mmCIF file of all heavy atoms in Angstrom:
data_model
loop_
_atom_site.group_PDB
_atom_site.id
_atom_site.type_symbol
_atom_site.label_atom_id
_atom_site.label_comp_id
_atom_site.label_asym_id
_atom_site.label_seq_id
_atom_site.Cartn_x
_atom_site.Cartn_y
_atom_site.Cartn_z
ATOM 1 N N SER A 1 -11.819 -35.531 -5.887
ATOM 2 C CA SER A 1 -11.904 -36.719 -6.690
ATOM 3 C C SER A 1 -10.559 -37.390 -6.997
ATOM 4 O O SER A 1 -10.542 -38.537 -7.438
ATOM 5 C CB SER A 1 -12.669 -36.432 -8.030
ATOM 6 O OG SER A 1 -11.946 -35.369 -8.698
ATOM 7 N N CYS A 2 -9.482 -36.684 -6.725
ATOM 8 C CA CYS A 2 -8.180 -37.205 -6.975
ATOM 9 C C CYS A 2 -7.113 -36.394 -6.248
ATOM 10 O O CYS A 2 -7.378 -35.301 -5.765
ATOM 11 C CB CYS A 2 -7.828 -37.303 -8.511
ATOM 12 S SG CYS A 2 -7.610 -35.640 -9.272
ATOM 13 N N LEU A 3 -5.886 -36.846 -6.206
ATOM 14 C CA LEU A 3 -4.778 -36.163 -5.451
ATOM 15 C C LEU A 3 -4.545 -34.847 -6.060
ATOM 16 O O LEU A 3 -4.408 -33.800 -5.343
ATOM 17 C CB LEU A 3 -3.583 -37.054 -5.540
ATOM 18 C CG LEU A 3 -2.385 -36.483 -4.729
ATOM 19 C CD1 LEU A 3 -2.721 -36.229 -3.294
ATOM 20 C CD2 LEU A 3 -1.173 -37.380 -4.864
ATOM 21 N N GLU A 4 -4.540 -34.656 -7.413
ATOM 22 C CA GLU A 4 -4.227 -33.428 -8.048
ATOM 23 C C GLU A 4 -5.427 -32.420 -7.802
ATOM 24 O O GLU A 4 -5.140 -31.228 -7.638
ATOM 25 C CB GLU A 4 -3.911 -33.653 -9.574
ATOM 26 C CG GLU A 4 -2.620 -34.269 -9.890
ATOM 27 C CD GLU A 4 -1.530 -33.532 -9.234
ATOM 28 O OE1 GLU A 4 -1.437 -32.258 -9.341
ATOM 29 O OE2 GLU A 4 -0.630 -34.204 -8.613
ATOM 30 N N ASP A 5 -6.621 -32.898 -7.826
ATOM 31 C CA ASP A 5 -7.799 -32.078 -7.588
ATOM 32 C C ASP A 5 -7.628 -31.562 -6.174
ATOM 33 O O ASP A 5 -8.041 -30.400 -5.842
ATOM 34 C CB ASP A 5 -9.072 -32.829 -7.780
ATOM 35 C CG ASP A 5 -9.403 -33.049 -9.179
ATOM 36 O OD1 ASP A 5 -8.551 -32.789 -10.048
ATOM 37 O OD2 ASP A 5 -10.519 -33.579 -9.429
ATOM 38 N N SER A 6 -7.317 -32.426 -5.257
ATOM 39 C CA SER A 6 -7.152 -32.024 -3.810
ATOM 40 C C SER A 6 -6.120 -30.908 -3.698
ATOM 41 O O SER A 6 -6.296 -29.947 -2.969
ATOM 42 C CB SER A 6 -6.818 -33.193 -2.981
ATOM 43 O OG SER A 6 -6.691 -32.861 -1.625
ATOM 44 N N LYS A 7 -4.984 -31.028 -4.362
ATOM 45 C CA LYS A 7 -3.990 -30.033 -4.308
ATOM 46 C C LYS A 7 -4.508 -28.705 -4.873
ATOM 47 O O LYS A 7 -4.233 -27.609 -4.334
ATOM 48 C CB LYS A 7 -2.835 -30.398 -5.096
ATOM 49 C CG LYS A 7 -1.971 -31.593 -4.611
ATOM 50 C CD LYS A 7 -0.808 -31.901 -5.481
ATOM 51 C CE LYS A 7 0.018 -33.073 -4.963
ATOM 52 N NZ LYS A 7 1.090 -33.400 -5.914
ATOM 53 N N PHE A 8 -5.232 -28.822 -5.968
ATOM 54 C CA PHE A 8 -5.912 -27.592 -6.595
ATOM 55 C C PHE A 8 -6.834 -26.933 -5.568
ATOM 56 O O PHE A 8 -6.739 -25.595 -5.370
ATOM 57 C CB PHE A 8 -6.634 -27.975 -7.775
ATOM 58 C CG PHE A 8 -7.364 -26.813 -8.469
ATOM 59 C CD1 PHE A 8 -6.696 -26.060 -9.466
ATOM 60 C CD2 PHE A 8 -8.676 -26.639 -8.242
ATOM 61 C CE1 PHE A 8 -7.288 -24.999 -10.005
ATOM 62 C CE2 PHE A 8 -9.284 -25.505 -8.848
ATOM 63 C CZ PHE A 8 -8.619 -24.709 -9.773
ATOM 64 N N VAL A 9 -7.706 -27.709 -4.961
ATOM 65 C CA VAL A 9 -8.658 -27.120 -3.970
ATOM 66 C C VAL A 9 -7.989 -26.574 -2.809
ATOM 67 O O VAL A 9 -8.268 -25.445 -2.288
ATOM 68 C CB VAL A 9 -9.662 -28.182 -3.571
ATOM 69 C CG1 VAL A 9 -10.565 -27.622 -2.412
ATOM 70 C CG2 VAL A 9 -10.535 -28.682 -4.695
ATOM 71 N N HIS A 10 -6.963 -27.206 -2.293
ATOM 72 C CA HIS A 10 -6.168 -26.687 -1.172
ATOM 73 C C HIS A 10 -5.554 -25.360 -1.472
ATOM 74 O O HIS A 10 -5.659 -24.418 -0.737
ATOM 75 C CB HIS A 10 -5.066 -27.739 -0.818
ATOM 76 C CG HIS A 10 -4.067 -27.237 0.174
ATOM 77 N ND1 HIS A 10 -2.953 -26.497 -0.247
ATOM 78 C CD2 HIS A 10 -4.018 -27.399 1.511
ATOM 79 C CE1 HIS A 10 -2.286 -26.187 0.909
ATOM 80 N NE2 HIS A 10 -2.839 -26.670 1.925
ATOM 81 N N ASP A 11 -4.989 -25.264 -2.627
ATOM 82 C CA ASP A 11 -4.274 -23.980 -3.056
ATOM 83 C C ASP A 11 -5.247 -22.789 -3.241
ATOM 84 O O ASP A 11 -5.035 -21.666 -2.916
ATOM 85 C CB ASP A 11 -3.393 -24.213 -4.293
ATOM 86 C CG ASP A 11 -2.201 -25.097 -3.975
ATOM 87 O OD1 ASP A 11 -2.006 -25.423 -2.791
ATOM 88 O OD2 ASP A 11 -1.540 -25.370 -4.974
ATOM 89 N N GLN A 12 -6.425 -23.142 -3.816
ATOM 90 C CA GLN A 12 -7.431 -22.120 -3.897
ATOM 91 C C GLN A 12 -7.924 -21.655 -2.574
ATOM 92 O O GLN A 12 -8.190 -20.466 -2.339
ATOM 93 C CB GLN A 12 -8.661 -22.616 -4.668
ATOM 94 C CG GLN A 12 -8.321 -23.087 -6.172
ATOM 95 C CD GLN A 12 -7.838 -21.888 -6.965
ATOM 96 O OE1 GLN A 12 -8.409 -20.788 -7.047
ATOM 97 N NE2 GLN A 12 -6.643 -22.021 -7.504
ATOM 98 N N LEU A 13 -8.093 -22.607 -1.635
ATOM 99 C CA LEU A 13 -8.560 -22.226 -0.293
ATOM 100 C C LEU A 13 -7.374 -21.425 0.533
ATOM 101 O O LEU A 13 -7.804 -20.688 1.446
ATOM 102 C CB LEU A 13 -9.033 -23.445 0.469
ATOM 103 C CG LEU A 13 -10.324 -24.014 -0.084
ATOM 104 C CD1 LEU A 13 -10.680 -25.321 0.622
ATOM 105 C CD2 LEU A 13 -11.479 -23.089 0.209
ATOM 106 N N CYS A 14 -6.180 -21.673 0.157
ATOM 107 C CA CYS A 14 -5.133 -20.890 0.801
ATOM 108 C C CYS A 14 -5.384 -19.418 0.597
ATOM 109 O O CYS A 14 -4.993 -18.557 1.336
ATOM 110 C CB CYS A 14 -3.714 -21.299 0.205
ATOM 111 S SG CYS A 14 -3.110 -22.893 0.877
ATOM 112 N N VAL A 15 -5.972 -19.055 -0.638
ATOM 113 C CA VAL A 15 -6.238 -17.702 -0.994
ATOM 114 C C VAL A 15 -7.650 -17.299 -0.380
ATOM 115 O O VAL A 15 -7.765 -16.154 0.185
ATOM 116 C CB VAL A 15 -6.232 -17.478 -2.494
ATOM 117 C CG1 VAL A 15 -6.593 -16.016 -2.863
ATOM 118 C CG2 VAL A 15 -4.970 -17.909 -3.039
ATOM 119 N N LEU A 16 -8.604 -18.140 -0.437
ATOM 120 C CA LEU A 16 -10.000 -17.802 -0.067
ATOM 121 C C LEU A 16 -10.263 -17.820 1.417
ATOM 122 O O LEU A 16 -10.928 -17.027 1.963
ATOM 123 C CB LEU A 16 -10.994 -18.640 -0.764
ATOM 124 C CG LEU A 16 -11.094 -18.668 -2.278
ATOM 125 C CD1 LEU A 16 -12.009 -19.670 -2.855
ATOM 126 C CD2 LEU A 16 -11.550 -17.244 -2.652
ATOM 127 N N ALA A 17 -9.517 -18.761 2.127
ATOM 128 C CA ALA A 17 -9.793 -19.012 3.548
ATOM 129 C C ALA A 17 -9.530 -17.772 4.378
ATOM 130 O O ALA A 17 -10.354 -17.346 5.312
ATOM 131 C CB ALA A 17 -8.996 -20.163 4.109
ATOM 132 N N PRO A 18 -8.373 -16.949 4.139
ATOM 133 C CA PRO A 18 -8.223 -15.742 4.914
ATOM 134 C C PRO A 18 -9.293 -14.707 4.734
ATOM 135 O O PRO A 18 -9.638 -13.933 5.603
ATOM 136 C CB PRO A 18 -6.832 -15.210 4.395
ATOM 137 C CG PRO A 18 -6.179 -16.444 3.886
ATOM 138 C CD PRO A 18 -7.239 -17.294 3.301
ATOM 139 N N ILE A 19 -9.809 -14.667 3.484
ATOM 140 C CA ILE A 19 -10.962 -13.714 3.259
ATOM 141 C C ILE A 19 -12.217 -14.129 4.066
ATOM 142 O O ILE A 19 -12.866 -13.327 4.669
ATOM 143 C CB ILE A 19 -11.295 -13.694 1.711
ATOM 144 C CG1 ILE A 19 -10.048 -13.235 0.941
ATOM 145 C CG2 ILE A 19 -12.418 -12.787 1.444
ATOM 146 C CD1 ILE A 19 -10.171 -13.297 -0.531
ATOM 147 N N MET A 20 -12.427 -15.466 3.992
ATOM 148 C CA MET A 20 -13.567 -16.003 4.777
ATOM 149 C C MET A 20 -13.385 -15.798 6.293
ATOM 150 O O MET A 20 -14.380 -15.450 6.985
ATOM 151 C CB MET A 20 -13.798 -17.450 4.505
ATOM 152 C CG MET A 20 -14.077 -17.814 3.052
ATOM 153 S SD MET A 20 -15.519 -17.053 2.370
ATOM 154 C CE MET A 20 -16.803 -17.805 3.329
ATOM 155 N N MET A 21 -12.151 -15.923 6.648
ATOM 156 C CA MET A 21 -11.850 -15.722 8.091
ATOM 157 C C MET A 21 -12.111 -14.267 8.551
ATOM 158 O O MET A 21 -12.714 -14.063 9.546
ATOM 159 C CB MET A 21 -10.370 -16.097 8.361
ATOM 160 C CG MET A 21 -10.018 -16.120 9.865
ATOM 161 S SD MET A 21 -8.306 -16.641 10.093
ATOM 162 C CE MET A 21 -8.414 -18.374 9.788
ATOM 163 N N ALA A 22 -11.707 -13.393 7.682
ATOM 164 C CA ALA A 22 -11.933 -11.960 7.998
ATOM 165 C C ALA A 22 -13.479 -11.599 8.014
ATOM 166 O O ALA A 22 -13.927 -10.806 8.851
ATOM 167 C CB ALA A 22 -11.204 -11.079 6.998
ATOM 168 N N LEU A 23 -14.139 -12.195 7.049
ATOM 169 C CA LEU A 23 -15.646 -11.908 6.989
ATOM 170 C C LEU A 23 -16.403 -12.503 8.149
ATOM 171 O O LEU A 23 -17.373 -12.078 8.596
ATOM 172 C CB LEU A 23 -16.171 -12.471 5.747
ATOM 173 C CG LEU A 23 -15.711 -11.742 4.432
ATOM 174 C CD1 LEU A 23 -16.284 -12.564 3.203
ATOM 175 C CD2 LEU A 23 -16.309 -10.324 4.392
ATOM 176 N N SER A 24 -15.842 -13.603 8.765
ATOM 177 C CA SER A 24 -16.569 -14.335 9.812
ATOM 178 C C SER A 24 -15.888 -14.106 11.213
ATOM 179 O O SER A 24 -16.269 -14.718 12.237
ATOM 180 C CB SER A 24 -16.616 -15.822 9.509
ATOM 181 O OG SER A 24 -15.257 -16.343 9.400
ATOM 182 N N ALA A 25 -14.963 -13.231 11.334
ATOM 183 C CA ALA A 25 -14.248 -12.950 12.609
ATOM 184 C C ALA A 25 -15.229 -12.560 13.711
ATOM 185 O O ALA A 25 -16.047 -11.690 13.466
ATOM 186 C CB ALA A 25 -13.118 -11.870 12.414
ATOM 187 N N SER A 26 -15.192 -13.254 14.849
ATOM 188 C CA SER A 26 -16.102 -12.970 15.852
ATOM 189 C C SER A 26 -15.477 -13.187 17.282
ATOM 190 O O SER A 26 -16.213 -13.523 18.219
ATOM 191 C CB SER A 26 -17.345 -13.958 15.692
ATOM 192 O OG SER A 26 -16.845 -15.266 15.748
ATOM 193 N N SER A 27 -14.234 -12.840 17.400
ATOM 194 C CA SER A 27 -13.550 -13.141 18.745
ATOM 195 C C SER A 27 -12.713 -11.941 19.185
ATOM 196 O O SER A 27 -11.571 -12.060 19.582
ATOM 197 C CB SER A 27 -12.615 -14.359 18.590
ATOM 198 O OG SER A 27 -13.308 -15.438 18.031
ATOM 199 N N PRO A 28 -13.343 -10.741 19.195
ATOM 200 C CA PRO A 28 -12.588 -9.587 19.685
ATOM 201 C C PRO A 28 -12.474 -9.554 21.163
ATOM 202 O O PRO A 28 -11.579 -8.805 21.723
ATOM 203 C CB PRO A 28 -13.392 -8.353 19.184
ATOM 204 C CG PRO A 28 -14.782 -8.879 19.133
ATOM 205 C CD PRO A 28 -14.695 -10.330 18.778
ATOM 206 N N VAL A 29 -13.340 -10.289 21.939
ATOM 207 C CA VAL A 29 -13.311 -10.159 23.383
ATOM 208 C C VAL A 29 -12.647 -11.433 23.944
ATOM 209 O O VAL A 29 -13.119 -12.576 23.618
ATOM 210 C CB VAL A 29 -14.673 -10.007 23.932
ATOM 211 C CG1 VAL A 29 -14.609 -9.924 25.485
ATOM 212 C CG2 VAL A 29 -15.361 -8.769 23.419
ATOM 213 N N ARG A 30 -11.568 -11.322 24.712
ATOM 214 C CA ARG A 30 -10.870 -12.536 25.372
ATOM 215 C C ARG A 30 -10.824 -12.198 26.850
ATOM 216 O O ARG A 30 -10.418 -11.171 27.292
ATOM 217 C CB ARG A 30 -9.498 -12.564 24.837
ATOM 218 C CG ARG A 30 -9.391 -12.475 23.288
ATOM 219 C CD ARG A 30 -9.803 -13.707 22.514
ATOM 220 N NE ARG A 30 -9.026 -14.893 22.886
ATOM 221 C CZ ARG A 30 -8.948 -15.931 22.097
ATOM 222 N NH1 ARG A 30 -9.533 -15.968 20.864
ATOM 223 N NH2 ARG A 30 -8.261 -17.010 22.445
ATOM 224 N N ARG A 31 -11.357 -13.260 27.595
ATOM 225 C CA ARG A 31 -11.323 -13.105 29.065
ATOM 226 C C ARG A 31 -11.958 -11.837 29.609
ATOM 227 O O ARG A 31 -11.592 -11.213 30.536
ATOM 228 C CB ARG A 31 -9.869 -13.188 29.642
ATOM 229 C CG ARG A 31 -9.203 -14.508 29.515
ATOM 230 C CD ARG A 31 -7.923 -14.653 30.229
ATOM 231 N NE ARG A 31 -7.974 -13.950 31.500
ATOM 232 C CZ ARG A 31 -7.153 -12.857 31.796
ATOM 233 N NH1 ARG A 31 -6.382 -12.479 30.947
ATOM 234 N NH2 ARG A 31 -7.297 -12.312 32.885
ATOM 235 N N GLY A 32 -12.978 -11.409 28.864
ATOM 236 C CA GLY A 32 -13.735 -10.204 29.200
ATOM 237 C C GLY A 32 -13.147 -8.889 28.833
ATOM 238 O O GLY A 32 -13.759 -7.831 29.052
ATOM 239 N N TYR A 33 -12.005 -8.962 28.157
ATOM 240 C CA TYR A 33 -11.351 -7.650 27.748
ATOM 241 C C TYR A 33 -11.561 -7.587 26.224
ATOM 242 O O TYR A 33 -11.445 -8.547 25.474
ATOM 243 C CB TYR A 33 -9.843 -7.734 27.992
ATOM 244 C CG TYR A 33 -9.528 -7.630 29.495
ATOM 245 C CD1 TYR A 33 -9.063 -8.771 30.145
ATOM 246 C CD2 TYR A 33 -9.658 -6.477 30.175
ATOM 247 C CE1 TYR A 33 -8.693 -8.766 31.484
ATOM 248 C CE2 TYR A 33 -9.364 -6.432 31.509
ATOM 249 C CZ TYR A 33 -8.893 -7.555 32.223
ATOM 250 O OH TYR A 33 -8.541 -7.492 33.527
ATOM 251 N N LEU A 34 -11.723 -6.288 25.761
ATOM 252 C CA LEU A 34 -11.805 -5.971 24.334
ATOM 253 C C LEU A 34 -10.375 -5.906 23.798
ATOM 254 O O LEU A 34 -9.573 -5.050 24.290
ATOM 255 C CB LEU A 34 -12.500 -4.730 24.078
ATOM 256 C CG LEU A 34 -12.810 -4.366 22.582
ATOM 257 C CD1 LEU A 34 -13.671 -5.404 21.889
ATOM 258 C CD2 LEU A 34 -13.424 -2.985 22.458
ATOM 259 N N THR A 35 -10.087 -6.776 22.889
ATOM 260 C CA THR A 35 -8.712 -6.812 22.314
ATOM 261 C C THR A 35 -8.607 -6.184 20.924
ATOM 262 O O THR A 35 -9.614 -5.850 20.306
ATOM 263 C CB THR A 35 -8.204 -8.238 22.174
ATOM 264 O OG1 THR A 35 -8.811 -8.912 21.149
ATOM 265 C CG2 THR A 35 -8.387 -9.001 23.509
ATOM 266 N N ASP A 36 -7.422 -6.009 20.408
ATOM 267 C CA ASP A 36 -7.142 -5.461 19.103
ATOM 268 C C ASP A 36 -7.149 -6.460 18.013
ATOM 269 O O ASP A 36 -6.790 -6.224 16.850
ATOM 270 C CB ASP A 36 -5.891 -4.641 19.116
ATOM 271 C CG ASP A 36 -5.904 -3.542 18.122
ATOM 272 O OD1 ASP A 36 -6.963 -3.105 17.673
ATOM 273 O OD2 ASP A 36 -4.809 -3.081 17.638
ATOM 274 N N HIS A 37 -7.448 -7.738 18.365
ATOM 275 C CA HIS A 37 -7.576 -8.840 17.379
ATOM 276 C C HIS A 37 -9.011 -9.307 17.326
ATOM 277 O O HIS A 37 -9.625 -9.536 18.421
ATOM 278 C CB HIS A 37 -6.628 -9.987 17.667
ATOM 279 C CG HIS A 37 -5.190 -9.753 17.426
ATOM 280 N ND1 HIS A 37 -4.221 -10.658 17.573
ATOM 281 C CD2 HIS A 37 -4.550 -8.649 16.913
ATOM 282 C CE1 HIS A 37 -3.025 -10.153 17.273
ATOM 283 N NE2 HIS A 37 -3.267 -8.908 16.816
ATOM 284 N N ASP A 38 -9.595 -9.486 16.210
ATOM 285 C CA ASP A 38 -11.044 -10.015 16.155
ATOM 286 C C ASP A 38 -11.187 -11.437 15.618
ATOM 287 O O ASP A 38 -12.233 -11.916 15.436
ATOM 288 C CB ASP A 38 -11.855 -9.067 15.394
ATOM 289 C CG ASP A 38 -11.402 -8.836 13.930
ATOM 290 O OD1 ASP A 38 -10.406 -9.502 13.549
ATOM 291 O OD2 ASP A 38 -12.045 -8.034 13.195
ATOM 292 N N CYS A 39 -10.002 -12.072 15.378
ATOM 293 C CA CYS A 39 -10.011 -13.471 14.882
ATOM 294 C C CYS A 39 -9.442 -14.394 15.856
ATOM 295 O O CYS A 39 -8.429 -14.015 16.537
ATOM 296 C CB CYS A 39 -9.265 -13.535 13.530
ATOM 297 S SG CYS A 39 -9.372 -15.111 12.747
ATOM 298 N N ARG A 40 -9.932 -15.602 15.987
ATOM 299 C CA ARG A 40 -9.510 -16.457 16.966
ATOM 300 C C ARG A 40 -8.208 -17.296 16.611
ATOM 301 O O ARG A 40 -7.543 -17.861 17.492
ATOM 302 C CB ARG A 40 -10.567 -17.541 17.186
ATOM 303 C CG ARG A 40 -10.645 -18.556 15.987
ATOM 304 C CD ARG A 40 -11.776 -19.548 16.072
ATOM 305 N NE ARG A 40 -11.707 -20.392 14.867
ATOM 306 C CZ ARG A 40 -11.119 -21.532 14.834
ATOM 307 N NH1 ARG A 40 -10.627 -22.052 15.904
ATOM 308 N NH2 ARG A 40 -11.160 -22.243 13.686
ATOM 309 N N TRP A 41 -7.852 -17.280 15.376
ATOM 310 C CA TRP A 41 -6.929 -18.315 14.896
ATOM 311 C C TRP A 41 -5.483 -18.160 15.548
ATOM 312 O O TRP A 41 -4.972 -19.153 15.972
ATOM 313 C CB TRP A 41 -6.747 -18.278 13.356
ATOM 314 C CG TRP A 41 -5.721 -19.261 12.812
ATOM 315 C CD1 TRP A 41 -4.456 -18.980 12.358
ATOM 316 C CD2 TRP A 41 -5.835 -20.687 12.882
ATOM 317 N NE1 TRP A 41 -3.785 -20.105 12.075
ATOM 318 C CE2 TRP A 41 -4.646 -21.146 12.345
ATOM 319 C CE3 TRP A 41 -6.870 -21.546 13.166
ATOM 320 C CZ2 TRP A 41 -4.440 -22.515 12.212
ATOM 321 C CZ3 TRP A 41 -6.570 -22.884 12.999
ATOM 322 C CH2 TRP A 41 -5.387 -23.415 12.543
ATOM 323 N N GLN A 42 -4.936 -16.994 15.537
ATOM 324 C CA GLN A 42 -3.617 -16.826 15.967
ATOM 325 C C GLN A 42 -3.371 -17.163 17.458
ATOM 326 O O GLN A 42 -2.384 -17.884 17.882
ATOM 327 C CB GLN A 42 -3.024 -15.389 15.760
ATOM 328 C CG GLN A 42 -1.500 -15.284 15.942
ATOM 329 C CD GLN A 42 -0.708 -16.219 15.025
ATOM 330 O OE1 GLN A 42 -1.015 -16.357 13.943
ATOM 331 N NE2 GLN A 42 0.295 -16.852 15.654
ATOM 332 N N ALA A 43 -4.320 -16.765 18.261
ATOM 333 C CA ALA A 43 -4.294 -17.128 19.672
ATOM 334 C C ALA A 43 -4.451 -18.646 19.876
ATOM 335 O O ALA A 43 -3.764 -19.273 20.752
ATOM 336 C CB ALA A 43 -5.392 -16.382 20.443
ATOM 337 N N MET A 44 -5.302 -19.303 19.090
ATOM 338 C CA MET A 44 -5.398 -20.699 19.235
ATOM 339 C C MET A 44 -4.183 -21.498 18.781
ATOM 340 O O MET A 44 -3.689 -22.408 19.466
ATOM 341 C CB MET A 44 -6.618 -21.203 18.378
ATOM 342 C CG MET A 44 -6.921 -22.718 18.430
ATOM 343 S SD MET A 44 -8.339 -23.184 17.532
ATOM 344 C CE MET A 44 -7.729 -23.082 15.909
ATOM 345 N N ALA A 45 -3.495 -20.994 17.747
ATOM 346 C CA ALA A 45 -2.306 -21.590 17.247
ATOM 347 C C ALA A 45 -1.189 -21.484 18.361
ATOM 348 O O ALA A 45 -0.420 -22.408 18.620
ATOM 349 C CB ALA A 45 -1.764 -20.903 15.890
ATOM 350 N N GLU A 46 -1.087 -20.276 18.953
ATOM 351 C CA GLU A 46 -0.051 -20.024 20.014
ATOM 352 C C GLU A 46 -0.364 -20.911 21.197
ATOM 353 O O GLU A 46 0.563 -21.410 21.892
ATOM 354 C CB GLU A 46 -0.048 -18.535 20.327
ATOM 355 C CG GLU A 46 0.506 -17.673 19.242
ATOM 356 C CD GLU A 46 0.539 -16.194 19.729
ATOM 357 O OE1 GLU A 46 0.343 -15.949 20.901
ATOM 358 O OE2 GLU A 46 0.650 -15.392 18.818
ATOM 359 N N SER A 47 -1.602 -21.126 21.459
ATOM 360 C CA SER A 47 -1.954 -21.919 22.802
ATOM 361 C C SER A 47 -1.579 -23.354 22.535
ATOM 362 O O SER A 47 -1.328 -24.066 23.518
ATOM 363 C CB SER A 47 -3.444 -21.800 23.085
ATOM 364 O OG SER A 47 -4.288 -22.533 22.136
ATOM 365 N N PHE A 48 -1.507 -23.836 21.270
ATOM 366 C CA PHE A 48 -1.130 -25.148 20.964
ATOM 367 C C PHE A 48 0.353 -25.380 20.648
ATOM 368 O O PHE A 48 0.778 -26.414 20.160
ATOM 369 C CB PHE A 48 -2.005 -25.767 19.908
ATOM 370 C CG PHE A 48 -3.247 -26.469 20.418
ATOM 371 C CD1 PHE A 48 -4.347 -25.706 20.854
ATOM 372 C CD2 PHE A 48 -3.279 -27.805 20.615
ATOM 373 C CE1 PHE A 48 -5.452 -26.243 21.391
ATOM 374 C CE2 PHE A 48 -4.417 -28.456 21.174
ATOM 375 C CZ PHE A 48 -5.512 -27.685 21.529
#
């Protein structure tokens, strides 16, 4: 509803998003191999 509210929500999600990411991780298999990472984010960031 406002800029300050957006900052507040952003900062709360900085804490909550990693928890949600861990709960929803679904990417342990890459190119047919089982890897030691189960979340997609870091590989996607590196690819870009």
Side-chain angles (χ1 to χ4, degrees):
S1 58
C2 67
L3 182 59
E4 289 304 314
D5 286 8
S6 181
K7 292 179 181 179
F8 177 87
V9 173
H10 172 275
D11 291 354
Q12 297 300 305
L13 288 173
C14 283
V15 179
L16 294 174
I19 299 173
M20 301 300 294
M21 186 178 290
L23 291 173
S24 60
S26 58
S27 308
V29 182
R30 313 284 300 205
R31 291 188 38 242
Y33 293 107
L34 185 62
T35 72
D36 206 23
H37 286 181
D38 57 2
C39 183
R40 72 185 181 96
W41 177 256
Q42 191 57 44
M44 185 176 70
E46 291 180 15
S47 75
F48 270 79

